[in-house]
Amino acid sequence: MNRTIESGKTLLIDGPASASVVSGKVEVFGARLRNMRKIVVREGKRLPFAVKEKATFDISVGESTNVEEVDGDTIPSSWFQAFEELLNSQVKPFTAMVIGAVDSGKTSFCTFLINKLLNEGQKVAILDGDLGQSDIGPPCSVSYAFVTKPLTDLFGLRAKNAFFVGFTSPNRAINKVLEGLASSKQKILSNNPDFVIVNTDGWVEGEDAVKYKLQLAEKLNPNIILCIQQKDELASLLEALQKFRKMSVDSPSAIRQRSTEKRRSLRELGYIKYLRNAKVKTIPLSWLKIEEDELIGLGRNYGNMAQAGKIYSLLGMKPLHLAELCDKICIVIGKRRWIDSENIKKVEEITKKKVVVVHKGEEKGLLIALYDDERNFLGIGSLREIDYRRNVMKIYTPVSEKISIVTVGRVKLDENLKETPIFTEENQSDLTFENLF
Ligand SMILES: Nc1ncnc2c1ncn2[C@@H]1O[C@H](COP(=O)(O)OP(=O)(O)OP(=O)(O)O)[C@@H](O)[C@H]1O
Ligand SMILES: [Mg+2]
């Protein structure tokens, strides 16, 4: 479908759609569009095509595409002021941290700043600290990239490096997120950027969120914190960030809010991006260092051999795997095996820990991150199977380099790369918060 729009107006396109400019001058978040270049608007996303000179668009629509013409520019004037503030700064490298609630426009604002700075010939890096709605690296990770040309969607970038956290929300892994962002910033700085734009997650309300964002600011020590305000949702956070230089910018009124479902399906696009061309690889467990926080103790064995023997006799069987974790004993048994609850109680009595029984096969689909022996991020994978008899791990991944370290996340994907509950016990505590992102 062709559509002609007068100068000074904006065409809002809600994906799934693609559009190209046949004639005229058009910008998306400060990126000037070349004629005939196809721009994809992903499902769940909206792109504002600001018409600078009367333009004709060729638009391909999907089932739920919506196209709307509005007067003026939907980019708030405060976004332009923030850009000027950055450009006029004398400090290099200059770090700007963007904060705001979910759906406030954080990603779009980062995209806008990056494009405008690139138009001025600046060297710009983006550090993506949003685990649940990550734009650059795979979901559940913190990542960064150097941007060399203006773009309409940061999703088109590939991470130069990533730090896998393993959760979709920061509240259960605050220290890991802090560590990941701080170490990523150091790596970025060693490449001498002019600007580092830091995007953050939308967890801004409540005591814990405020504490976490304050820690984040202290770790990253940004030259400015750019705060996207909708109403007064940032009030307590801004008070806590007193000692930092801050600038408030508006949340665009044309923003498109997304449901939890939409956020999940957008996240799934992130898994697909990093699992494209994946194949199943079989790797001996002895070649790998498995890092995992208290899930089933994959990387561990039961330390106390004598007690392990006692546990076997109490259970009346030798399980496939037995691991002692911080607060529990994890026992992996065959798919069709079963353990008498009385025997479990006896084990709990002697170990003074809760016993969790996991059936073989339940590990299938766990999201994992893969690193080389120098801890460079190679990519992600989905765990297919741990074969305890052959002592091998089967991984579905596109990574072809030699894998030395495997980190197991707290997210499980089904065959269609859709998020699915992990173990029943795990879900209980996960649900309330994860729904936010
Ligand atoms: N100025 C604008 N005009 C029109 N649409 C916009 C504008 N700014 C943002 N949007 C759209 O609104 C939606 C939400 O914006 P964005 O993704 O930038 O928010 P966010 O705060 O990063 O959200 P999340 O919390 O999911 O990461 C997106 O589809 C985006 O393209
Ligand atoms: Mg975002």
Side-chain angles (χ1 to χ4, degrees), residues 106-107 130 133 135 199:
K106 298 179 299 300
T107 296
D130 192 351
Q133 292 296 308
D135 297 297
N199 196 5

Side-chain angles (χ1 to χ4, degrees), residues 45 103 105-108 130 133-135 199-200 258 263:
K45 285 274 178 184
D103 281 335
K106 298 179 299 300
T107 296
S108 308
D130 192 351
Q133 292 296 308
S134 40
D135 297 297
N199 196 5
T200 57
R258 285 157 293 193
R263 307 180 80 76

Side-chain angles (χ1 to χ4, degrees), residues 26-175:
V26 179
E27 283 183 12
V28 174
F29 297 133
R32 302 175 194 128
L33 301 190
R34 270 184 289 113
N35 278 3
M36 302 317 289
R37 195 184 130 208
K38 198 164 118 184
I39 304 294
V40 174
V41 191
R42 287 183 286 141
E43 184 170 1
K45 285 274 178 184
R46 161 178 294 175
L47 286 188
F49 294 78
V51 177
K52 303 292 170 187
E53 243 174 50
K54 184 177 175 174
T56 299
F57 294 86
D58 178 12
I59 309 168
S60 305
V61 295
E63 245 173 49
S64 52
T65 307
N66 189 44
V67 181
E68 190 189 337
E69 185 181 328
V70 295
D71 286 332
D73 195 344
T74 61
I75 306 282
S77 56
S78 51
W79 286 23
F80 287 90
Q81 285 155 14
F83 156 65
E84 294 291 339
E85 186 79 18
L86 262 59
L87 190 64
N88 294 331
S89 115
Q90 304 299 316
V91 184
K92 295 274 175 76
F94 188 94
T95 303
M97 175 170 150
V98 173
I99 59 169
V102 287
D103 281 335
S104 59
K106 298 179 299 300
T107 296
S108 308
F109 182 43
C110 290
T111 314
F112 171 81
L113 290 174
I114 291 167
N115 288 336
K116 297 292 277 183
L117 290 167
L118 287 174
N119 290 343
E120 297 297 323
Q122 304 293 319
K123 183 171 176 185
V124 191
I126 167 85
L127 173 50
D128 186 357
D130 192 351
L131 304 177
Q133 292 296 308
S134 40
D135 297 297
I136 300 162
C140 309
S141 67
V142 160
S143 64
Y144 67 90
F146 285 87
V147 194
T148 50
K149 46 180 194 296
L151 34 74
T152 55
D153 189 348
L154 294 179
F155 190 73
L157 293 170
R158 265 196 99 82
K160 181 150 172 27
N161 208 338
F163 182 101
F164 186 71
V165 176
F167 289 87
T168 56
S169 320
N171 66 323
R172 300 207 30 214
I174 288 176
N175 289 336

